[in-house]
């Protein structure tokens, strides 16, 4: 059994190890964290942008006027402060699910390439700006928080990138479409509306990337590109190393744990897949998800950090809590903005995006849940068959013979043990007067009826004095007691016979003192044992043949005074 247990344990360990190799890659922490980071936008500027956005716009509840006011603020900043032309507020109404005909809006601005033509490529940078501060409709969840982490930090990071492009008049070979999504806190309606109604025709054909910024805080900043190898990830890795940025990669390749944001074209789902970019990924557009979190190994929970509970989608998501939990949130926003800015300035970035778009793998069938359910079933069946086969082989090679439990039989009235064998245990109830079958129960009397009466005296409606019948009767004496005709058995008074004359004289002679020849002192003579002869006691017996009517006549005589004085 020990060998079988060790073998099964080994098989389980091998399976877990194989799954771990599949689940984890060599990604994770930055390649070199010792270099001092070189930020394109200073962390202090990022913090001021976030504070300006939150001030006066704590309530940006989805589908309300407060959300519309926040959209107007973003349009004003992009136009007046950053110098963008033609910043649009694109209104829309929801048409899907239970939330039908609810109004929201996206804010769209474009930073155009230096030398544009009809084939100029386009990339999309986006972040959602609304929150759930108050109630917008019946049964809507409310948090009464300004949503500083989720997603004020994403908005501030995107504003920092937008300001850098116009401030330094960066020359790019592609257009940059900057989108602040409405109705994104819960429903992702703004992203779907933008993809379906705005990003259409030739504009969609020219788009080679969608990047989202969300929850830029927590323990680490991740840059997720895809579960599969691609060229844009290599470019981001080189940029992070060159600028000393603490940009992490998603190490977990966990199986699909929810179908809420299941993506076509990928074989499984993980937390890094969740965001506004899902519909773009479904359409074959490469994505980058820059997100703050703390994902280690199998990311079965969407953690922000290991030392604090999540504040996202809660009433504690404010600027004060963000600064207390993650005081370096300014550096994290600066690192995320710098990663994107340096990537856009890189000569290798656009070719990598074009190649990834052209070779986007067509694995839509692997996104079907029933496919993965079938795969899991087949794997489990194979493992079960293998374990069963190995267990049967080991059991045959190393048999374990379990002892058979002995059968218990009773021998009654001295029956012969004709079928006796080693597997049987016999219990013999024969006993002698000095043996006990069951300790503690008076069973030395050879009469079974006496034993029963002693244990259960009330069964027969009378109590028999056992002390009077414990003396062993003579061979000629027979005591018979019936259930209905029990009479008291009175013992005759015991009288001891008078001692013989010669015995009396002998006793007196022994009692006389005799002189001791050595000491001349009288000593008491040794006494002889006194023997007393007992005559046998005659006991009254009750015949078994005596009827109950005789007993009644005797009782009648006593009542009429025949044995005593007449009444």
């Amino acid at each position: 059994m020990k060998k079988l247990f060790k073998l099964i344990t080994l098989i389980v360990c091998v399976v877990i190890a194989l799954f771990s190799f599949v689940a984890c890659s060599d990604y994770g922490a930055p390649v070199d964290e010792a270099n001092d980071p070189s930020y394109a936008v200073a962390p202090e500027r990022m913090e001021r942008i976030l504070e300006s956005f939150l001030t006066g716009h704590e309530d940006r509840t989805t589908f309300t006027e407060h959300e519309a006011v926040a959209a107007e603020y973003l349009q004003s900043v992009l136009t007046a402060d950053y110098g963008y032309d033609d910043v649009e507020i694109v209104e829309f109404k929801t048409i899907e699910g239970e939330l039908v005909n609810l109004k929201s809006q996206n804010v769209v601005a474009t930073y155009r390439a230096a030398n544009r033509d009809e084939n100029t490529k386009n990339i999309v940078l986006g972040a959602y700006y609304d929150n759930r501060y108050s109630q917008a409709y019946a049964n809507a969840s409310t948090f009464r928080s300004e949503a500083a982490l989720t997603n004020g930090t994403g908005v501030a990071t995107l504003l920092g990138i937008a300001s850098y492009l116009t401030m330094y008049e960066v020359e790019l070979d592609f257009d940059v479409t900057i989108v602040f999504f409405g109705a994104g806190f819960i429903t992702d309606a703004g992203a779907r509306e933008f993809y379906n109604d705005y990003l259409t025709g030739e504009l969609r054909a020219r788009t080679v990337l969608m990047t989202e910024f969300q929850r830029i805080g927590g323990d680490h900043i991740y840059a997720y590109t895809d579960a599969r190898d691609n060229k844009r990830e290599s470019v981001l890795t080189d940029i992070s190393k060159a600028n000393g940025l603490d940009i992490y990669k998603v190490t977990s390749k966990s199986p699909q744990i929810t179908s809420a944001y299941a993506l076509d074209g990928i074989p499984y789902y993980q937390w890094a897949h969740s965001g506004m970019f899902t519909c773009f990924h479904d359409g074959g557009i490469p994505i980058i998800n820059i997100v703050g979190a703390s994902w280690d190994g199998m990311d079965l929970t969407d953690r922000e950090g290991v030392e604090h509970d999540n504040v996202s989608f809660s009433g504690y998501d404010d600027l004060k809590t963000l600064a207390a939990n993650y005081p370096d949130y300014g550096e994290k926003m600066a690192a995320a903005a710098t990663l994107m800015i340096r990537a856009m300035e890189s000569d290798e970035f656009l070719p990598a995006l074009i190649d990834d778009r052209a070779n986007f793998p067509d694995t839509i069938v692997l996104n079907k849940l029933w496919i993965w359910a079938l795969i899991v079933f087949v794997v489990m069946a194979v493992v079960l068959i293998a374990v069963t086969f190995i267990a049967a082989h080991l059991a045959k090679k190393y048999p374990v013979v379990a002892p058979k439990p002995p059968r218990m039989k009773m021998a009654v009235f001295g029956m012969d043990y004709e079928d006796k064998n080693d597997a049987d245990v016999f219990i013999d109830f024969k006993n002698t007067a000095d043996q006990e079958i069951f300790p503690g129960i008076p069973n030395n009397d050879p009469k079974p009826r006496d034993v029963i009466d002693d244990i259960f005296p009330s069964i027969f409606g009378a109590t028999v004095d056992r002390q009077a019948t414990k003396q062993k009767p003579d061979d000629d004496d027979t005591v018979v007691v019936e259930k209905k005709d029990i009479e008291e058995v009175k013992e005759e008074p015991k009288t001891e016979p008078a001692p013989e004359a010669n015995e009396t004289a002998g006793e007196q002679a022994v009692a006389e003192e005799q002189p001791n020849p050595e000491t001349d002192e009288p000593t008491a003579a040794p006494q002889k044992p006194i023997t007393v002869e007992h005559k046998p006691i005659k006991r009254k017996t009750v015949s078994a043949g005596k009827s109950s009517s005789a007993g009644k006549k005797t009782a009648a005589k006593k009542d009429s005074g025949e044995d005593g004085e007449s009444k």
Side-chain angles (χ1 to χ4, degrees), residues 123-337:
I123 68 172
V124 178
L125 307 181
Y128 67 91
Y129 65 91
D130 57 312
N131 65 8
R132 191 58 62 85
Y133 188 88
S134 59
Q135 192 172 48
Y137 51 88
N139 301 323
S141 57
T142 60
F143 300 106
R144 304 291 297 181
S145 68
E146 59 193 21
L149 176 61
T150 309
N151 191 36
T153 55
V155 172
T157 302
L158 185 53
L159 285 174
I161 296 172
S163 67
Y164 179 89
L165 293 176
T166 56
M167 181 183 299
Y168 293 96
E169 300 181 352
V170 180
E171 294 186 0
L172 301 175
D173 295 332
F174 48 85
D175 294 339
V176 180
T177 301
I178 299 171
V179 188
F180 295 93
F181 299 113
F185 192 76
I186 298 295
T187 66
D188 295 348
R192 289 195 298 271
E193 188 280 335
F194 176 83
Y195 179 80
N196 294 327
D197 296 337
Y198 191 92
L199 195 69
T200 59
E202 57 86 19
L203 180 59
R204 182 181 299 183
R206 294 190 293 110
T207 301
V208 294
L209 176 70
M210 192 279 168
T211 301
E212 181 183 359
F213 301 89
Q214 57 174 319
R215 197 174 69 181
I216 310 299
D219 287 348
H220 312 300
I221 299 299
Y222 293 87
Y224 173 81
T225 56
D226 203 330
R228 301 155 300 196
D229 293 334
N230 54 79
K231 291 187 176 181
R232 62 189 180 279
E233 187 174 79
S234 300
V235 175
L236 296 178
T237 300
D238 294 339
I239 291 174
S240 298
K241 182 178 180 181
N243 292 272
L245 305 176
D246 291 343
I247 304 297
Y248 282 63
K249 295 182 179 181
V250 178
T251 60
S252 174
K253 309 295 182 182
S254 59
Q256 186 162 355
I257 57 178
T258 177
S259 59
Y261 297 97
L263 305 179
D264 293 337
I266 60 173
Y268 36 71
Y269 176 91
Q270 57 194 72
W271 285 110
H273 288 141
S274 177
M276 306 292 108
F277 59 84
T278 55
C279 54
F280 297 85
H281 194 287
D282 290 347
I285 298 176
I287 59 92
I288 299 175
N289 182 22
I290 300 180
V291 56
S294 182
W295 293 322
D296 248 342
M298 302 299 294
D299 57 328
L300 299 181
T301 58
D302 188 18
R303 300 183 303 177
E304 297 169 5
V306 295
E307 296 183 0
H308 307 283
D309 294 333
N310 283 13
V311 299
S312 299
F313 304 98
S314 74
Y316 302 98
D317 188 2
D318 52 31
L319 191 59
K320 180 179 179 181
T321 304
L322 176 63
N325 291 353
Y326 308 106
D328 58 345
Y329 70 95
E331 286 81 355
K332 289 183 170 62
M333 289 190 294

Side-chain angles (χ1 to χ4, degrees), residues 53 56-57 59-61 64-76 89 105 107 129:
F53 172 65
H57 306 100
D59 186 355
R60 307 183 301 278
T61 302
T64 65
E65 291 299 323
H66 299 288
E67 182 190 34
V69 171
E72 293 173 358
Y73 168 82
L74 294 172
Q75 181 189 39
S76 174
I89 296 181
Q105 53 280 315
V107 181
Y129 65 91

Side-chain angles (χ1 to χ4, degrees), residues 430-488:
K430 296 185 302 181
N431 71 301
T432 60
D434 58 347
Q435 292 178 340
E436 289 188 355
I437 300 175
F438 303 103
I441 298 178
N443 59 341
N444 290 336
D445 195 340
K447 295 181 178 58
R449 172 65 177 277
D450 295 347
V451 177
I452 296 175
D453 288 344
D454 283 339
I455 300 174
F456 307 105
S458 61
I459 292 179
F460 303 111
T463 303
V464 180
D465 187 1
R466 295 295 170 202
Q467 299 298 329
T469 60
K470 285 296 180 181
Q471 294 180 359
K472 185 176 180 180
D474 295 337
D475 296 337
D476 296 335
D477 294 337
T478 303
V479 179
V480 181
V481 181
E482 286 188 354
K483 291 187 291 184
K484 297 181 179 179
D485 301 323
I486 298 176
E487 294 185 0
E488 277 191 351

